[in-house]
């Protein structure tokens, strides 16, 4: 037996997630920025540019924090089985 209600799946059976467009944009852009910062950070380390690598590490940490906060907002306002509401 599952905790899901019929509204939580689309007609094709795909799970549906409640989320605001702002949170979705934060998650998608944050993951892109994280990937780009990590890739450029590795290149900066290979090119022996430690200051640039540190700056990109700070950007990556900020992106991770932003994505985590967006996911927490989604779960808080969501109605799915993993939400707290």
């Amino acid at each position: 037996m599952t905790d899901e209600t019929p509204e939580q799946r689309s007609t094709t059976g795909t799970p549906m997630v409640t989320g605001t467009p702002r949170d979705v944009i934060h998650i998608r852009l944050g993951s892109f920025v994280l990937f780009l910062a990590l890739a450029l950070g590795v290149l900066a380390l290979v090119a022996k540019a430690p200051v640039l690598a540190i700056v990109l590490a700070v950007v990556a940490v900020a992106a991770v924090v932003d994505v985590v906060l967006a996911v927490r907002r989604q779960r808080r306002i969501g109605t799915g089985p993993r939400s707290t509401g």
Side-chain angles (χ1 to χ4, degrees):
M1 176 164 243
T2 66
D3 292 337
E4 292 184 12
T5 60
E7 302 85 54
Q8 292 173 316
R9 293 206 173 259
S10 69
T11 55
T12 61
T14 305
M16 298 181 69
V17 178
T18 303
T20 63
R22 181 186 74 175
D23 292 335
V24 173
I25 289 172
H26 275 264
I27 293 168
R28 288 190 179 194
L29 286 179
S31 62
F32 177 74
V33 168
L34 178 63
F35 176 76
L36 192 62
L38 289 176
L40 291 176
V42 169
L43 287 175
L45 287 175
V46 169
K48 297 184 185 333
V51 175
L52 181 59
I54 291 170
V55 169
L56 289 168
V58 170
V59 169
V61 168
V64 168
V65 169
D66 186 46
V67 169
V68 167
L69 290 175
V71 168
R72 287 184 64 185
R73 275 191 306 266
Q74 270 190 320
R75 286 189 182 158
R76 187 179 64 236
I77 66 168
T79 57
R82 299 192 70 189
S83 68
T84 59

